[in-house]
């Protein structure tokens, strides 16, 4: 059973930064395309950033230029560096395969952007 554990969320002021981490099961980042997703209250889950096994990266328009996805295959960890945060970035952030596997979603990590 593949597991992802997200961490690093918190409360930050508009314009601030956070770095999210996602620890995955051993080897998962070597064999699977992965992504960061987010779900805001009352909204559908959406893809924010993705990276393939051969390191091709893509971003949703709403995070381009502000967020950076990266991964450390040896550490089984993926990161999301978030800068210039906006109140509309408030959401629970998850990592998963891309496309996502429903049973692989973890608890996520809450990011709240508010003054």
């Amino acid at each position: 059973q593949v597991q992802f554990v997200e961490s690093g969320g918190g409360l930050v002021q508009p314009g601030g930064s956070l770095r999210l981490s996602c620890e995955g099961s051993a080897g998962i980042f070597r064999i699977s395309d992965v992504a960061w997703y987010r779900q805001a209250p009352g909204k559908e889950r959406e893809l924010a950033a993705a990276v393939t096994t051969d390191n091709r990266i893509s971003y949703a328009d709403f995070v381009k230029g502000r967020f950076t996805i990266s991964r450390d295959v040896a550490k089984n960890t993926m990161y999301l560096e978030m800068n210039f945060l906006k109140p509309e970035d408030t959401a629970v952030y998850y990592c998963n395969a891309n496309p996502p596997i429903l049973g692989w979603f973890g608890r996520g990590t809450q990011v709240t952007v508010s003054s």
Side-chain angles (χ1 to χ4, degrees):
Q1 176 72 18
V2 172
Q3 287 187 322
F4 292 103
V5 178
E6 302 90 350
S7 63
L11 173 64
V12 62
Q13 291 189 341
S17 300
L18 280 174
R19 189 193 196 205
L20 305 184
S21 298
C22 166
E23 187 173 347
S25 298
I28 189 63
F29 297 112
R30 200 171 270 117
I31 64 171
S32 178
D33 296 346
V34 288
W36 282 98
Y37 302 84
R38 70 184 192 182
Q39 187 165 20
K43 294 190 176 180
E44 303 247 327
R45 190 176 288 149
E46 57 188 358
L47 186 148
V51 57
T52 65
T53 54
D54 59 350
N55 244 7
R56 284 174 290 127
I57 289 173
S58 59
Y59 296 99
D61 286 344
F62 54 78
V63 304
K64 247 177 217 177
R66 300 188 299 125
F67 291 10
T68 303
I69 188 173
S70 63
R71 64 199 175 115
D72 186 330
V73 174
K75 293 183 178 178
N76 300 310
T77 304
M78 179 168 67
Y79 305 96
L80 187 67
E81 187 77 37
M82 306 188 296
N83 298 308
F84 307 108
L85 282 161
K86 306 174 182 179
E88 50 264 44
D89 294 320
T90 296
V92 179
Y93 284 73
Y94 304 88
C95 51
N96 202 318
N98 185 23
I101 307 294
L102 200 57
W104 290 5
F105 277 109
R107 293 186 175 182
T109 185
Q110 174 71 48
V111 172
T112 303
V113 185
S114 174
S115 53

